[in-house]
Amino acid sequence: FPVTITVPELLKIAVKPFLPVPSQGRLVDLGCGTGLSAEVFRAETQYRVGVDLSSKMLEKAATKNLYDVLIHQDILAYLRQTSEVFDLIVAGDVLVYQGALEEWIANIARHLTSGGLFIFSVELTAEAPFHLQKSGRFSHAPAYLSALAKQFGFEECFSNSAVTRLQNHKP
């Protein structure tokens, strides 16, 4: 199972029909890393904010000149304090480092415009509501994610399964 597509590319394919009018959206990329999501969603956004805890990742992202603002901060701390709203909130390969997601989803909901999109990836489990894997990453149960979506006023637009990474050469 060679992984030949990035998480942001998979996310864009999944939500393409729901994306804002080209070049009009405001994006916040949670856990922006080197800027892969900003590259993928560049055509749909005119204003882009990247948030990451790693200064080294932010340095690499800055060289791409894709973000209007790069913020070196814990993502949840940023969400708690900012007053900005966005049309598109992307969290690719970020929620796998969190177990309980209630506070995350509540804060994300506060920062979405009406009709905005929250696009994210998770690893799935049958163990409800979430499970800490041997890899140190969390997996989340689909029913838990659906319940959170409903609790915080989200409408599920699309859900799909894909291999996004390998661990010891296994999906």
Side-chain angles (χ1 to χ4, degrees):
F1 292 98
V3 178
T4 59
I5 189 166
T6 67
V7 169
E9 289 167 332
L10 282 170
L11 293 175
K12 183 168 182 180
I13 291 166
V15 300
K16 192 169 186 168
F18 309 101
L19 289 172
V21 175
S23 299
Q24 297 300 307
R26 293 172 52 86
L27 162 79
V28 64
D29 185 1
L30 304 176
C32 68
T34 62
L36 294 177
S37 290
E39 289 173 2
V40 169
F41 291 101
R42 178 179 14 200
E44 289 75 24
T45 56
Q46 69 176 6
Y47 177 76
R48 292 174 290 278
V49 175
V51 182
D52 206 292
L53 196 52
S54 169
S55 58
K56 298 236 185 259
M57 292 289 210
L58 290 171
E59 287 171 15
K60 289 180 182 178
T63 66
K64 296 179 180 179
N65 295 315
L66 294 168
Y67 294 96
D68 295 280
V69 180
L70 285 168
I71 298 170
H72 180 225
Q73 189 174 16
D74 174 81
I75 297 167
L76 197 49
Y78 168 76
L79 291 171
R80 286 180 190 133
Q81 77 176 33
T82 189
S83 60
E84 288 197 77
V85 292
F86 299 93
D87 303 295
L88 191 56
I89 297 178
V90 178
D93 206 35
V94 170
L95 299 181
V96 294
Y97 298 105
Q98 308 302 317
L101 297 177
E102 286 79 0
E103 187 176 4
W104 279 75
I105 306 303
N107 277 285
I108 287 166
R110 291 184 323 110
H111 297 292
L112 267 180
T113 59
S114 177
L117 295 173
F118 171 40
I119 306 167
F120 63 94
S121 65
V122 293
E123 294 179 10
L124 298 177
T125 185
E127 298 180 40
F130 53 86
H131 172 72
L132 179 60
Q133 302 173 92
K134 290 178 186 174
S135 65
R137 295 162 61 96
F138 285 91
S139 52
H140 295 87
Y144 173 62
L145 298 171
S146 292
L148 287 175
K150 184 177 180 180
Q151 178 182 350
F152 294 105
F154 286 94
E155 177 184 334
E156 290 182 70
C157 296
F158 186 86
S159 176
N160 193 19
S161 295
V163 175
T164 59
R165 66 186 293 275
L166 302 175
Q167 180 87 24
N168 299 322
H169 307 289
K170 294 179 184 175

